[in-house]
Amino acid sequence: MSTFEQTGDRQAPAPVRTTRPGSDGEHLVQQRAGTTARADKFYAEQVLDRLNPRMREFVARQEMFFLATSDRHGECDNTFRAGPPGFLHVLDEATLAYPEYRGNGVQASLGNIEENPHVGILMVDFVRDRIGLHVNGRARVVADDDMRVAYPGLAVDPVPGRRTQVWVQVFVEEAYIHCAKHIPHLQKVPLQGAGRAWGTDDHKRKGGDFFGAAAEAPGRGLFLPPPRADAATWLAQAERVLEEAEQRSAAKQAFGGWFRRTLPALSSRGSRAERGRHQAR
């Protein structure tokens, strides 16, 4: 949102902002704690609806971030993503994208995004500036070939373990600082041995059974998951859940997921996931 509009040689003042960012819950707690004025100052000065130039520069040099997602029931997951500097791409002032590399096969974050597009990203610079940046927004999963059609300049990573499986595109809704006062100052150490084992299946190089969970598995009983539904059955079940979500929305019941707001088009072709959704309906 521009601060001023150019009108010839004159500058018209920006419109007054009357919508308070954040959730109803945080506003209620602010009232209880007597911090509303302090929070409103932070909202007014620090919370942006896009990435300004300094934020974009900060994002472009990060090697890691923390990602928060939740499913349609509000059950949360928080995870860690890492890559070479710039792996979290700044596509423009309102859009980020990062590649999903080969992992443990669980796909928890991508699964949550399929149900609920709202995500929270936290980047922390522990080494140089000791500062953090929050980015909250809506995400979608995009096939690699669709992403490269829309953004031909995306580089292909030469490291086998960092080959892109899919992309996650994030549309920025809030961006704001995480203050430095409790961020520890860390230092990098030189790489030892073969360095990072990107994409490895080696049990020890992945961390082994560091927390002893696998050693305790026999005591938790035999794991016999039910058979997975075939694709047609799964799609029918998903459509029923979508219909229930629409009914909740029509009844004005609280529900934050299932793409309540229309996402921007990826390209004239649209993403593969979106094409599949429209065809399924």
Side-chain angles (χ1 to χ4, degrees):
M1 182 183 299
S2 300
T3 304
F4 293 98
E5 296 178 356
Q6 297 289 339
T7 309
D9 295 329
R10 300 176 58 191
Q11 289 184 330
V16 175
R17 293 175 291 162
T18 59
T19 301
R20 178 181 283 119
S23 68
D24 293 340
E26 70 185 68
H27 303 155
L28 178 62
V29 174
Q30 290 162 12
Q31 289 182 328
R32 290 174 179 167
T35 64
T36 297
R38 187 149 44 103
D40 281 348
K41 178 177 172 61
F42 183 85
Y43 293 149
E45 296 180 353
Q46 295 294 337
V47 180
L48 308 183
D49 64 352
R50 61 197 59 223
L51 303 169
N52 68 17
R54 289 190 179 184
M55 290 176 174
R56 298 198 292 273
E57 183 276 329
F58 181 87
V59 172
R61 59 183 169 83
Q62 298 310 303
E63 298 179 60
M64 63 179 183
F65 65 86
F66 302 94
L67 174 70
T69 61
S70 70
D71 65 16
R72 66 183 182 277
H73 304 294
E75 300 289 342
C76 298
D77 181 76
N78 189 273
T79 192
F80 173 80
R81 290 290 181 268
F87 85 107
L88 178 57
H89 295 255
V90 180
L91 301 179
D92 56 50
E93 66 178 6
T95 318
L96 300 175
Y98 66 88
E100 280 283 347
Y101 304 135
R102 189 170 183 273
N104 59 15
V106 174
Q107 315 287 6
S109 299
L110 296 183
N112 282 348
I113 290 169
E114 284 294 323
E115 295 193 12
N116 181 350
H118 302 286
V119 300
I121 290 175
L122 172 62
M123 292 159 271
V124 183
D125 182 347
F126 295 98
V127 178
R128 190 175 110 177
D129 297 317
R130 281 184 52 246
I131 204 74
L133 175 65
H134 292 263
V135 176
N136 299 326
R138 295 169 295 127
R140 66 177 169 199
V141 180
V142 182
D144 184 57
D145 58 349
D146 287 345
M147 196 70 175
R148 294 187 186 280
V149 167
Y151 300 95
L154 290 173
V156 177
D157 200 311
V159 178
R162 292 203 304 256
R163 295 288 164 79
T164 303
Q165 305 291 305
V166 294
W167 291 85
V168 175
Q169 193 174 18
V170 180
F171 301 95
V172 178
E173 293 180 333
E174 293 180 337
Y176 54 91
I177 191 172
H178 187 99
C179 69
K181 63 181 179 181
H182 297 305
I183 296 176
H185 192 185
L186 307 181
Q187 293 183 349
K188 284 189 174 182
V189 299
L191 291 176
Q192 301 176 1
R196 299 175 181 175
W198 296 101
T200 185
D201 277 329
D202 183 274
H203 181 66
K204 290 185 178 179
R205 299 197 76 185
K206 289 169 65 176
D209 190 24
F210 184 87
F211 292 104
E216 298 171 352
R220 297 196 292 270
L222 187 63
F223 179 56
L224 287 176
R228 295 182 184 273
D230 59 71
T233 302
W234 183 91
L235 181 60
Q237 293 172 342
E239 290 297 323
R240 282 198 295 273
V241 175
L242 280 167
E243 185 178 353
E244 292 172 4
E246 295 292 348
Q247 291 172 354
R248 280 194 292 268
S249 177
K252 297 183 178 180
Q253 297 177 13
F255 185 77
W258 293 110
F259 299 86
R260 292 291 65 155
R261 292 168 57 183
T262 303
L263 295 174
L266 179 69
S267 67
S268 58
R269 295 173 53 202
S271 74
R272 177 181 297 168
E274 286 175 327
R275 292 198 300 271
R277 266 194 210 100
H278 292 314
Q279 291 167 0
R281 292 189 178 193

